[in-house]
Amino acid sequence: MPGLNATSASTGICSEDDAMNFEFDANKTALMIVDMNKAFVGKGAPLEVPQAIDNVPRIKLLLETCRKRNMPVIHVSHVFRKDGRDRGLMYDFWPVLRNGVLEEGSEGTEIYPDIAPVAGETVINKHRYSAWFGTDLDIVVRNLKVDTLIICGTTTDRCTGLTAYEAFMRDLKVIFPEDANATFQDEVHKGMIISLDMGAAMI
């Protein structure tokens, strides 16, 4: 983990030897791609995460590899109801949402074409940062009979990161590729990577 170990070691809390490391069975592993919606991905997107578009080729390669191995793929898209009954405080923190960029049926809720779902792949619509909250993700994962999730997408400190932590709390192994996740600020991304590496995921 270039750059991460030095930062971790300097805190005196986590060293390279402390990093999460485990064996996993590809036959019991699923890939989860979170919030690679058009609203987040691409130059000028309403909620543009600058690094997300650069991560698309890496996520695409990961996706193609998993498909070749017949590993389950779960796509997660952030979608709000048109009637607003699932908004909560989200629109207060993110005023741009008031323009409907993540409302059901809008272009912003569509998954970026290069990594779009194909027939047979699961699509979960979520309404909060975590993909587990208020969705049937738990039921889907349990029925897939997997014990490991590879989690990538946006955003590291909210949607993918909180989804990873909740997976860990469900006793699932989590693989969290550093270069296939992104958020709005590089320093925040690095901070969450350190946090996950110390307590929830294999980076």
Side-chain angles (χ1 to χ4, degrees):
M1 295 171 288
L4 179 58
N5 294 329
T7 304
S8 302
S10 69
T11 67
I13 298 172
C14 182
S15 67
E16 183 174 2
D17 292 337
D18 297 323
M20 175 72 75
N21 193 11
F22 52 76
E23 298 292 328
F24 66 97
D25 183 349
N27 295 316
K28 295 182 179 180
T29 301
L31 172 65
M32 185 185 302
I33 304 173
V34 180
D35 285 357
M36 291 298 283
N37 298 15
K38 289 182 180 179
F40 297 98
V41 184
K43 188 69 175 176
L47 288 155
E48 181 186 354
V49 178
Q51 183 62 37
I53 189 67
D54 294 332
N55 287 354
V56 167
R58 286 185 285 274
I59 295 174
K60 183 179 180 181
L61 179 59
L62 185 56
L63 175 60
E64 290 172 346
T65 300
C66 290
R67 283 172 173 167
K68 287 177 183 176
R69 299 193 64 140
N70 294 315
M71 295 165 60
V73 177
I74 302 169
H75 301 264
V76 179
S77 178
H78 204 120
V79 182
F80 290 110
R81 295 165 54 104
K82 283 186 177 294
D83 61 20
R85 292 176 182 170
D86 57 352
R87 294 176 186 172
L89 298 175
M90 294 291 286
Y91 279 41
D92 295 328
F93 279 94
W94 302 94
V96 67
L97 296 178
R98 295 171 188 159
N99 297 328
V101 297
L102 286 179
E103 284 185 4
E104 54 190 352
S106 70
E107 184 179 4
T109 64
E110 297 173 9
I111 296 169
Y112 195 76
D114 288 5
I115 49 176
V118 298
E121 293 179 349
T122 302
V123 178
I124 301 285
N125 288 339
K126 70 180 182 68
H127 321 285
R128 293 293 184 273
Y129 299 134
S130 171
W132 302 95
F133 185 83
T135 73
D136 59 359
L137 178 60
D138 185 74
I139 296 171
V140 169
V141 170
R142 283 192 281 115
N143 277 276
L144 289 174
K145 301 187 187 309
V146 298
D147 63 12
T148 305
L149 294 176
I150 303 169
I151 299 176
C152 60
T154 60
T155 54
T156 314
D157 55 320
R158 296 178 182 87
C159 303
T160 59
L162 293 178
T163 297
Y165 265 116
E166 288 205 42
F168 171 78
M169 289 186 281
R170 286 170 167 79
D171 296 324
L172 292 162
K173 298 176 183 177
V174 178
I175 300 169
F176 197 87
E178 182 176 359
D179 62 356
N181 283 277
T183 193
F184 300 101
Q185 304 93 359
D186 289 343
E187 62 273 19
V188 175
H189 170 75
K190 292 174 182 175
M192 190 61 168
I193 290 294
I194 293 171
S195 177
L196 287 165
D197 188 38
M198 289 172 62
M202 182 167 70
I203 305 300

